[in-house]
Amino acid sequence: MRPLAAFALCAAAALGCTSPQRAAHPPTTVSAADLGRLSPEQMGALQSARSDLDAARDALDRARLRLQDARHEEWYARADRTQADADRQRGEAQLRTAQEAGDGRAAGRAQELVAAAALRAQAADARLEYARRLVAARQSGVDAYQARVARAEWDVERAKLAALREAQIPAATKYDAASLDRRAADLARAEEASVGRSRELDRAATTAFDRWRSLVDRYEARLRASGQTG
């Protein structure tokens, strides 16, 4: 029974490790030696695919920079919140002093400072929410461009094989065009899904931005009405 059980386990492991791995294993790419059989005149489509890949990589670099910029927003929001807390504490101290002195005008000004500080704190909290959504959107944008680069890399491989076939290079028969097409199609679908997710997060960030700016406008309008400066 033990040898039979051992055999069953080995067979199950083999079945679990062979076909899935073959399915997941990337197709063979065109070797530099085979590609070297082409003349420069036969590589037009390949050069175009390589240009697309370079453009995708440049776009990815820009997306990473935008992500870095987005991360600064959280720091600015926290700084706003700290200042709002300082304004509130100053207003509360002035209010206590004015009440102790029986100065109604001073008490009114202090109450207005406290109310404005509360509104500023709301705006800072809204900015923090916007910053977090913006970072999520920018990270998703990076993911989308990474997916584009991955798809463009396999488009280059497809273009290599297409060039070999167009030039009727015998070495082209070594490669499986269908597997290259499947890999490119899979990556294109992944890219499309990633772009869709990025757009959803962009819309959420825009909504959060609008709420933050609305609160900022209310805060600044209150300052102007009370004769204070921002």
Side-chain angles (χ1 to χ4, degrees):
M1 294 297 294
R2 285 184 180 177
L4 182 58
F7 173 80
L9 288 173
C10 291
L15 288 173
C17 297
T18 53
S19 56
Q21 283 187 348
R22 285 197 190 111
H25 195 277
T28 302
T29 57
V30 176
S31 70
D34 290 336
L35 192 63
R37 303 172 190 273
L38 295 172
S39 66
E41 294 78 15
Q42 295 170 321
M43 299 180 68
L46 174 56
Q47 294 303 337
S48 178
R50 283 172 169 168
S51 295
D52 290 344
L53 174 57
D54 289 340
R57 287 170 173 163
D58 289 342
L60 174 58
D61 289 340
R62 291 192 297 271
R64 285 169 172 158
L65 290 175
R66 288 194 294 271
L67 175 58
Q68 290 179 6
D69 291 341
R71 286 177 173 147
H72 295 159
E73 278 296 324
E74 183 174 353
W75 184 89
Y76 294 136
R78 294 187 185 282
D80 279 352
R81 193 66 165 80
T82 298
Q83 186 59 54
D85 288 340
D87 289 347
R88 175 184 53 78
Q89 291 169 4
R90 184 170 69 254
E92 290 172 348
Q94 292 176 6
L95 179 59
R96 285 193 299 271
T97 300
Q99 289 173 339
E100 290 170 358
D103 189 338
R105 279 184 71 181
R109 289 194 299 270
Q111 288 173 340
E112 178 58 32
L113 180 58
V114 171
L119 187 55
R120 183 173 186 176
Q122 290 180 45
D125 290 341
R127 186 175 191 177
L128 182 58
E129 176 64 17
Y130 160 63
R132 289 170 175 166
R133 291 185 180 275
L134 183 64
V135 168
R138 294 294 178 262
Q139 179 61 64
S140 183
V142 169
D143 295 342
Y145 282 112
Q146 286 177 330
R148 178 182 295 184
V149 167
R151 187 261 303 159
E153 288 173 343
W154 284 97
D155 283 346
V156 167
E157 294 303 321
R158 294 172 68 209
K160 289 178 182 178
L161 182 53
L164 289 180
R165 288 183 159 190
E166 180 69 22
Q168 298 183 346
I169 303 296
T173 60
K174 296 189 303 183
Y175 304 100
D176 183 2
S179 65
L180 288 173
D181 291 343
R182 284 193 298 271
R183 173 52 68 95
D186 289 343
L187 291 171
R189 284 191 291 271
E191 179 188 357
E192 183 178 0
S194 188
V195 168
R197 175 62 175 163
S198 179
R199 287 174 178 166
E200 289 178 4
L201 292 173
D202 274 336
R203 286 192 290 268
T206 298
T207 299
F209 174 83
D210 291 342
R211 180 175 181 275
W212 164 48
R213 291 308 309 174
S214 176
L215 287 167
V216 169
D217 290 343
R218 287 173 54 193
Y219 168 69
E220 292 177 346
R222 185 158 197 158
L223 290 184
R224 289 191 298 269
S226 64
Q228 301 180 60
T229 57

